[in-house]
Amino acid sequence: MHKSLLVFTFGFFCGLNLYSQSQEYNLSEEDRLYTKVENVKILTTRGEMLSLSQMYVREPFVLALVFTRCIGVCSPLISNFKEKISELNPKEKFKILVVSFDTADTKADLDNYAKLFNLNQNENWVFATTGQIPELIESVGFHPEWDSSRRQFEHDALLVGINGNGYIVKKLIGIRNIRAVESMIKEISNEFVISYPLPHNNSILSCFTYDPITGKKKPKFGLFLLLVPAIGTVILLVIISRQKKKKISENY
Amino acid sequence: MNISLKRITSTWIITILLLFFTAIILGITMRFNQGKVISIDDGKFYGIMTTHGMTMIAIWAVAGMVGVHYLLSRYINVGAGLSKFAFIMTVIGVAMFYVTTFIGHFHAGWTFLYPLPFKNSFAWESWATPMFFWSLTVLGVGWLVWSVGLLVAIFKKYSFSQTFAWQHLTKKDPEVQTPPLVLISAISLVGIVLCLLTAVVILVLSFAEIYSDGKFVNDPLLMKNLIYFFGHTIANESLYLGLGIVYELMPEISGRPKFKTTWYVALGWNFTLLFVLTAYFHHLYMDFVQPLGLQMFGQFASYFASIPSAVVTIISIIVLLYGHRIKWTITNLLFFIGITGWIIGGVGALIDSTISNNIFLHNTLWVPAHFHTYNALGNVLLILGFFTWVANEFSGSQTDPMRKLKLALLIIGGFGFVLMFYCGGAESVPRRYSVYPAEFTRAALFASAAAWFAIIYLLGMSLIFVDIFKKCIRVYSSSHSDSSVA
Ligand code: HEM
């Protein structure tokens, strides 16, 4: 009897899962997070041969992966990032390393590319090629695909934040707003980055809310739910303490 | 004493010790994995961690309830029915929980922090999350009925103010005296009822999310507040139940007069009820959206929740023992070491609850260090003290073979085990890592050393367990309703 009851209960709960939703969670910006970037050698447009570790021990950097023949997202990625940086004018010291993931790109191509954005004289921007493209892109979780008909790579617009120990601490996919760029700069500089999941449309009960623009925190009515158990307990105690008492015996 | 109560108490004790034994083996497995002595995959590691944490919290909460239920029957009229009902619900709940972790591979940790249990599309079976919450529902119903039932029985005899010993605050020798066991049990039971009602809110919100097919989504901060209120408070209240047992039995076993409730005992414990409920804010120091006032309140509530009860207990124990010839048995020795472990762990907790330290210690091994100290070397020993005492009552035998060896194994194994956590914490080794990053050069060494110490602890525990088991099973063959079997 008990056994069949247990089997039934188990079967019932298993059945219920048909109704439970399965939420997809986009992990691509978390892929390879907190792992080390491959210590590849790069050749900068200024003619220096450097390893990435030589770069990050000096200063953290943001890595942008591009190819110069790109007719898609590479140029908007660089120009937008440049714009955001000048808007922010951050006090933190860091470099922006733009590396080509196309074997066809040469040092001269990258030099021209830098000139296109007027960044060839900018000390904070480093444009480079590397002979170790597969190792580099694998280590940051970047997966471009060659489309031979268009003679273009299909790829994400990716910025990778690398801190002073060579760890990937933030990834941004796509052209992002100024807050995201700011938080990446703080993250690579080991500063505290406050983050808060934005209220979901369907989330009607929260206890405190935070406005990332104004930095203001406000109590919300979900706070009341924290008081419900306490109120419930007090009511319960009042009810049960009103029962008829038995006489206290002498043993104590 | 009612034979039915003795039998259900004995059944609880054997079940708790069997589960404890299993959960320690799971703990040792985790430490060996962190020490790179064995290698298990991450999913399995976190399944083990969830099972270990939940089992430990559950069994030591109910163990305290078993103890106070048994001893309260000296003062109030409380039968075995409540305990039997809770036992059946606990067995069903624990079985359902094990199905979720061992078959469904659920591994969101015993704190099941939102939204982790809901992000399950790749980590565990989709039925495991709802079943996990259903297992909590079954456990919660069993314990809520039990706690409310005990409170009802207390209030049948004592008025509201007598239960909380308020008459002791104004009069030196009031007409109605509240025994310390009744006071501490009531304080703890009120806290437990509050935790369980909070669990009801958590469950309702979780089921709403599960069964609304994404139409209703929870707020992470609200859920974190609720879950830590529940988790932190229930873990602390379990400890207070253990202390209630010590107040009742320590003088009796040591051949000294019973403890009486004094104004400072009453005040200390009433303070504890008030502050333990708000101390949980210290788990949310990293949540910047939580208002600063609450964070600061959390720090002071942590001090006020622990210091009064600790000071009062230490003074009471010193007054009891100092300058008197004490008859030491395994029971009062376990109580004594348990109080020491509770205080050492408590100091570790206070260090961590201080905001300026928490910045460094948050989510490092310092956290399992202090809570294992006041559990494995605190509450567990207090309750084991009760188990050894009650087993003697059941069997009528006072034999206590290999006492020194048992205690030596527990002390060396137990303190060695927690020391390795403290060393890890002091070196900022993060908690809840199945394998430590290479940067923490000594973390694996600490972990494997801890596993060996835990084996020593387990040996001591096994010797005590065998003795308790042999004595407890005698109660089933007895038909006496009074006194011991022999
Ligand atoms: C000698 C016995 C024990 C051993 C070997 C052991 C081992 C462990 C280990 C290795 C962890 C994971 C630590 C981490 O890396 O974060 C852990 C977590 C935990 N342990 Fe124990 N433990 C023991 C006794 C206890 C006792 C007596 C209790 C409670 C009464 C307890 C409650 C917990 C809890 C609540 C967690 C946290 C689980 C989570 O984070 O979800 N343990 N234990």
Side-chain angles (χ1 to χ4, degrees):
Chain A
M1 166 68 186
H2 279 116
K3 213 169 140 192
S4 55
L5 203 73
L6 269 177
V7 172
F8 171 78
T9 317
F10 178 62
F12 177 71
F13 291 135
C14 291
L16 285 181
N17 77 70
L18 291 175
Y19 294 96
S20 66
Q21 84 278 36
S22 87
Q23 294 178 350
E24 282 311 321
Y25 182 44
N26 181 10
L27 289 169
S28 50
E29 279 192 1
E30 291 179 13
D31 184 25
R32 310 297 156 88
L33 215 53
Y34 308 119
T35 59
K36 261 193 164 167
V37 64
E38 187 69 36
N39 188 19
V40 298
K41 289 237 177 309
I42 52 166
L43 175 63
T44 72
T45 49
R46 291 170 196 127
E48 273 179 298
M49 190 67 155
L50 287 173
S51 66
L52 291 192
S53 62
Q54 282 173 302
M55 276 199 67
Y56 62 67
V57 292
R58 275 189 234 151
E59 264 164 6
F61 62 86
V62 175
L63 171 70
L65 289 160
V66 298
F67 70 111
T68 60
R69 287 180 287 166
C70 183
I71 52 166
V73 76
C74 289
S75 298
L77 176 71
I78 300 297
S79 58
N80 185 274
F81 194 54
K82 180 188 161 195
E83 221 173 85
K84 297 277 153 48
I85 300 276
S86 65
E87 230 176 285
L88 278 170
N89 192 17
K91 59 178 183 349
E92 292 87 355
K93 293 245 168 303
F94 65 97
K95 292 255 182 294
I96 302 117
L97 172 63
V98 183
V99 179
S100 165
F101 60 88
D102 184 354
T103 46
D105 275 334
T106 63
K107 179 168 157 281
D109 291 331
L110 265 292
D111 200 25
N112 287 335
Y113 197 65
K115 283 182 187 143
L116 220 87
F117 301 100
N118 221 355
L119 288 167
N120 52 327
Q121 302 295 336
N122 190 324
E123 284 290 299
N124 292 330
W125 288 74
V126 181
F127 287 77
T129 54
T130 174
Q132 293 171 276
I133 293 170
E135 291 92 327
L136 177 63
I137 61 175
E138 180 55 35
S139 76
V140 298
F142 179 66
H143 309 290
E145 270 175 33
W146 178 247
D147 178 348
S148 48
S149 60
R150 290 171 57 234
R151 304 195 55 76
Q152 286 286 306
F153 283 102
E154 290 286 343
H155 68 98
D156 286 332
L158 176 69
L159 295 174
V160 186
I162 291 163
N163 73 4
N165 296 321
Y167 283 93
I168 300 169
V169 289
K170 180 100 183 163
K171 284 170 77 174
L172 295 179
I173 295 180
I175 311 273
R176 302 287 285 272
N177 65 17
I178 195 151
R179 297 274 159 232
V181 173
E182 187 183 22
S183 84
M184 173 176 258
I185 294 167
K186 286 195 166 168
E187 199 84 66
I188 61 174
S189 313
N190 296 335
E191 283 172 36
F192 181 55
V193 179
I194 51 182
S195 71
Y196 183 67
L198 289 174
H200 196 283
N201 287 345
N202 302 349
S203 165
I204 46 169
L205 295 169
S206 37
C207 46
F208 300 106
T209 55
Y210 169 70
D211 182 342
I213 310 291
T214 60
K216 285 225 166 83
K217 303 167 190 174
K218 273 198 213 131
K220 287 271 295 241
F221 67 94
L223 200 57
F224 177 70
L225 279 186
L226 287 172
L227 302 177
V228 167
I231 296 168
T233 308
V234 171
I235 295 173
L236 195 80
L237 284 181
V238 170
I239 295 170
I240 61 179
S241 65
R242 287 188 162 194
Q243 352 158 40
K244 254 182 92 187
K245 302 274 167 296
K246 288 205 173 143
K247 222 176 125 23
I248 295 187
S249 68
E250 282 71 51
N251 66 353
Y252 212 90
Chain B
M1 181 82 54
N2 166 338
I3 188 71
S4 185
L5 184 59
K6 281 186 174 180
R7 286 199 176 134
I8 186 65
T9 304
S10 174
T11 312
W12 268 118
I13 293 175
I14 293 167
T15 314
I16 287 167
L17 289 178
L18 282 174
L19 288 174
F20 185 42
F21 204 81
T22 318
I24 295 181
I25 292 173
L26 295 180
I28 293 171
T29 311
M30 281 190 280
R31 265 336 230 159
F32 271 137
N33 189 64
Q34 292 170 326
K36 298 200 178 124
V37 177
I38 57 170
S39 170
I40 44 183
D41 72 52
D42 289 352
K44 281 213 177 73
F45 176 91
Y46 290 110
I48 290 177
M49 192 185 82
T50 307
T51 314
H52 167 87
M54 188 61 97
T55 307
M56 289 293 196
I57 293 292
I59 59 176
W60 294 109
V62 290
M65 295 281 288
V66 171
V68 296
H69 185 136
Y70 188 86
L71 293 171
L72 276 176
S73 64
R74 290 172 162 191
Y75 303 102
I76 56 173
N77 185 11
V78 52
L82 281 171
S83 186
K84 284 184 189 163
F85 172 73
F87 182 79
I88 294 167
M89 296 298 273
T90 305
V91 170
I92 298 173
V94 168
M96 285 168 68
F97 170 66
Y98 283 179
V99 170
T100 66
T101 54
F102 289 124
I103 302 176
H105 309 294
F106 179 81
H107 54 260
W110 92 273
T111 43
F112 56 96
L113 269 181
Y114 184 85
L116 199 52
F118 299 89
K119 303 290 176 203
N120 61 357
S121 50
F122 51 89
W124 53 77
E125 303 291 341
S126 54
W127 54 261
T129 295
M131 182 136 171
F132 169 75
F133 287 114
W134 281 113
S135 72
L136 291 191
T137 309
V138 174
L139 292 171
V141 169
W143 301 346
L144 189 60
V145 171
W146 194 8
S147 320
V148 173
L150 286 178
L151 279 172
V152 169
I154 293 175
F155 284 129
K156 270 206 178 120
K157 180 157 167 193
Y158 299 95
S159 69
F160 193 89
S161 61
Q162 288 164 354
T163 302
F164 297 105
W166 291 347
Q167 75 280 23
H168 290 272
L169 297 175
T170 48
K171 288 194 192 126
K172 194 160 183 271
D173 205 8
E175 197 185 326
V176 176
Q177 304 253 338
T178 308
L181 176 73
V182 172
L183 166 68
I184 301 170
S185 303
I187 298 265
S188 315
L189 288 168
V190 169
I192 290 173
V193 168
L194 225 168
C195 290
L196 295 173
L197 291 182
T198 309
V200 172
V201 177
I202 299 170
L203 289 168
V204 169
L205 292 176
S206 302
F207 285 131
E209 179 155 347
I210 291 172
Y211 297 118
S212 71
D213 208 11
K215 289 191 189 75
F216 174 84
V217 174
N218 279 294
D219 176 73
L221 190 60
L222 175 64
M223 289 302 260
K224 190 168 177 183
N225 269 286
L226 288 165
I227 289 175
Y228 271 114
F229 179 83
F230 161 73
H232 176 269
T233 315
I234 201 151
N236 276 269
E237 300 296 355
S238 314
L239 236 148
Y240 297 149
L241 292 173
L243 289 175
I245 294 170
V246 173
Y247 273 81
E248 178 67 14
L249 291 181
M250 184 83 171
E252 188 173 318
I253 295 158
S254 311
R256 302 272 299 124
K258 256 182 181 313
F259 276 132
K260 288 208 164 176
T261 301
T262 53
W263 69 266
Y264 60 86
V265 170
L267 190 69
W269 281 99
N270 275 276
F271 254 116
T272 300
L273 173 61
L274 205 63
F275 286 110
V276 78
L277 303 177
T278 41
Y280 87 92
F281 288 132
H282 61 221
H283 286 276
L284 289 105
Y285 288 156
M286 295 290 152
D287 296 271
F288 72 95
V289 183
Q290 196 85 346
L292 186 67
L294 290 187
Q295 310 286 33
M296 287 163 66
F297 192 76
Q299 172 171 320
F300 290 106
S302 309
Y303 298 163
F304 294 134
S306 45
I307 294 172
S309 59
V311 170
V312 163
T313 307
I314 294 169
I315 293 176
S316 305
I317 298 284
I318 291 175
V319 169
L320 183 84
L321 302 179
Y322 189 72
H324 300 284
R325 274 187 81 83
I326 300 298
K327 199 175 130 226
W328 288 106
T329 65
I330 185 134
T331 303
N332 54 7
L333 282 167
L334 283 169
F335 285 158
F336 191 78
I337 305 164
I339 296 278
T340 315
W342 170 53
I343 289 168
I344 297 174
V347 172
L350 286 185
I351 292 174
D352 194 18
S353 67
T354 306
I355 295 174
S356 51
N357 300 331
N358 191 272
I359 289 170
F360 299 100
L361 298 175
H362 196 90
N363 273 349
T364 67
L365 286 183
W366 192 271
V367 182
H370 72 67
F371 74 67
H372 278 92
T373 314
Y374 59 65
N375 279 312
L377 288 159
N379 195 25
V380 169
L381 302 193
L382 303 183
I383 306 279
L384 269 189
F386 166 74
F387 287 177
T388 54
W389 172 84
V390 86
N392 285 348
E393 281 247 306
F394 292 166
S395 65
S397 146
Q398 298 292 327
T399 54
D400 191 4
M402 296 186 282
R403 186 174 79 190
K404 283 191 183 142
L405 176 68
K406 288 175 193 163
L407 292 175
L409 290 173
L410 283 187
I411 292 173
I412 296 170
F415 280 104
F417 164 67
V418 293
L419 183 66
M420 295 301 110
F421 270 145
Y422 283 110
C423 292
E427 294 198 358
S428 298
V429 177
R431 70 182 284 205
R432 292 181 176 153
Y433 267 53
S434 64
V435 181
Y436 295 117
E439 282 70 15
F440 298 102
T441 48
R442 297 199 295 176
L445 183 73
F446 293 147
S448 50
W452 290 111
F453 277 121
I455 290 176
I456 299 176
Y457 177 87
L458 183 63
L459 279 176
M461 206 47 86
S462 312
L463 293 177
I464 295 181
F465 181 27
V466 170
D467 193 43
I468 293 175
F469 180 76
K470 279 198 216 145
K471 289 175 176 168
C472 275
I473 50 169
R474 292 211 215 155
V475 86
Y476 301 110
S477 53
S478 147
S479 54
H480 291 240
S481 65
D482 221 39
S483 76
S484 57
V485 182

